[in-house]
Amino acid sequence: MPFNRVSSNKLYIQIYEQILHEIEIGTFKINDKLPSEKFLCEQFGVSRAPVRQAISALELNGFVLSKQGEGAYVKKTPNDVKDNDLSNILNSISPEEIIESRMEIEPIIAKYAAQRATTEDIEKLGKVISKMEIETNDGTYNPVTDNEFHQTIAQATKNDLLIKFIQNISDSMSHQKMWQFLRDRTVTRSDYRDINFEEHKQIIKAIEVHDDEKASELMALHMNNLFNRYWKK
C-alpha cells in the first residue's frame, strides 16, 4: 500500500489522513484489520506515539474499532459519515504536545513548590491526596481531583507565570477530546489507577519535607510514566 513517510509537526494528522484515504478508496474495507503498529511505524518512519494517536483519532471519529490484543478494524468509511468534522480533534493542541509540555514544565514546578510551600499549601495538598486516596480505594479515577492536585502544586510555587502555564495546560486537556479518550482508557484502569495514586503520594511527601530535588525527580518520573502509559503500552 502506498503509505508515504511523514515529516514536520503533528505527524499523527498526516498518518490519520493517509490511513483514512486508504479506507476511502477501498484498500481497507469494512471489517478489515489495519496493519500492525510496527508495520505502520516502519512505513511512516515514525515512533509508536503518532501512530497510536492517529489510530485513536480514527476510532474517536468512528472509522475504526480497536480490540485489545488484536488490533484495529475498519468500522465505517468516510462515505458512511455524514458530518466528518475533525476540527475539534485534529486542529487543536495534540495529546503529545500536552504531555511533552508537562514533562518539561511540571518537574520545575514541583521543585519550586518544595522550596516555597507554606504550611497552608501543604495542608491543601494533604486534603487533595486524601480525596484521591478515597477515590482510588473506591475504584474510581476523578480527573477533577487529578487536576486539583497539579494546580495546588503550581500555586505553592508563588509564581504567577508557572500557575498560568498549568492552567493553560489544564484548559487544553479539558478541550481536547482525544486526550480524554486516551486518558479514559489508561489511567482509569485499576493497575494504572493505583500506580498513579502512589506516584502522586510520593510527590506530596517530598514537597512536605521541602526536598526540592526529590520532588522534581519524582514529578519527572510521573510524567515519563504517564507518557509511557499513553503511548507505549
Side-chain angles (χ1 to χ4, degrees):
M1 61 202 68
F3 285 137
N4 300 315
R5 285 183 172 249
V6 292
S7 59
S8 81
N9 218 357
K10 296 195 177 179
L11 300 176
Y12 81 101
I13 296 178
Q14 299 173 60
I15 296 170
Y16 174 100
E17 290 174 343
Q18 288 196 47
I19 295 176
L20 188 59
H21 175 69
E22 295 303 320
I23 294 174
E24 186 173 20
I25 65 176
T27 304
F28 303 115
K29 298 178 174 60
I30 302 292
N31 297 324
D32 279 356
K33 182 179 179 181
L34 293 183
S36 68
E37 286 184 1
K38 181 180 180 181
F39 177 87
L40 292 173
C41 289
E42 292 171 352
Q43 287 288 299
F44 291 116
V46 298
S47 66
R48 188 177 295 180
V51 168
R52 286 206 164 181
Q53 288 181 77
I55 298 298
S56 295
L58 286 165
E59 184 171 8
L60 191 55
N61 278 302
F63 295 117
V64 305
L65 175 65
S66 293
K67 298 181 180 180
Q68 189 171 2
E70 295 185 32
Y73 294 81
V74 178
K75 183 179 177 183
K76 292 181 181 179
T77 70
N79 294 330
D80 297 325
V81 180
K82 293 181 180 179
D83 182 15
N84 184 21
D85 181 7
L86 309 181
S87 59
N88 213 13
I89 298 171
L90 299 184
N91 296 329
S92 54
I93 295 173
S94 75
E96 193 170 17
E97 289 174 311
I98 291 172
I99 192 60
E100 283 180 350
S101 299
R102 294 185 69 185
M103 289 173 76
E104 294 299 322
I105 294 171
E106 297 221 35
I108 296 171
I109 289 175
K111 179 177 180 177
Y112 284 122
Q115 292 175 356
R116 302 170 180 174
T118 64
T119 300
E120 183 180 359
D121 292 324
I122 293 171
E123 287 177 356
K124 288 180 180 178
L125 286 169
K127 290 178 181 178
V128 174
I129 202 66
S130 294
K131 187 192 305 183
M132 188 175 289
E133 183 172 23
I134 292 171
E135 292 166 353
T136 302
N137 290 338
D138 287 342
T140 61
Y141 166 79
N142 187 345
V144 175
T145 306
D146 199 330
N147 180 61
E148 184 181 1
F149 171 88
H150 291 279
Q151 293 275 6
T152 305
I153 290 177
Q155 291 163 7
T157 67
K158 315 306 179 193
N159 183 311
D160 288 342
L161 191 54
L162 291 178
I163 294 170
K164 187 175 180 179
F165 281 155
I166 290 297
Q167 184 59 57
N168 287 341
I169 290 173
S170 176
D171 289 344
S172 296
M173 291 190 294
S174 67
H175 291 99
Q176 202 352 317
K177 288 185 178 180
M178 200 162 74
W179 171 270
Q180 298 167 33
F181 178 78
L182 292 164
R183 179 199 66 201
D184 291 345
R185 63 163 43 180
T186 52
V187 293
T188 56
R189 286 171 42 178
S190 59
D191 49 348
Y192 290 161
R193 186 175 60 239
D194 294 342
I195 293 172
N196 188 56
F197 166 70
E198 186 61 30
E199 290 173 358
H200 282 83
K201 185 169 71 173
Q202 293 304 317
I203 293 167
I204 294 295
K205 286 183 178 180
I207 293 175
E208 285 177 344
V209 297
H210 302 287
D211 188 338
D212 58 349
E213 293 301 325
K214 188 67 173 178
S216 178
E217 176 187 326
L218 289 170
M219 184 63 84
L221 178 63
H222 175 55
M223 289 295 113
N224 186 66
N225 288 343
L226 183 63
F227 179 91
N228 288 338
R229 287 163 203 158
Y230 276 18
W231 308 126
K232 295 184 179 179
K233 296 296 183 181

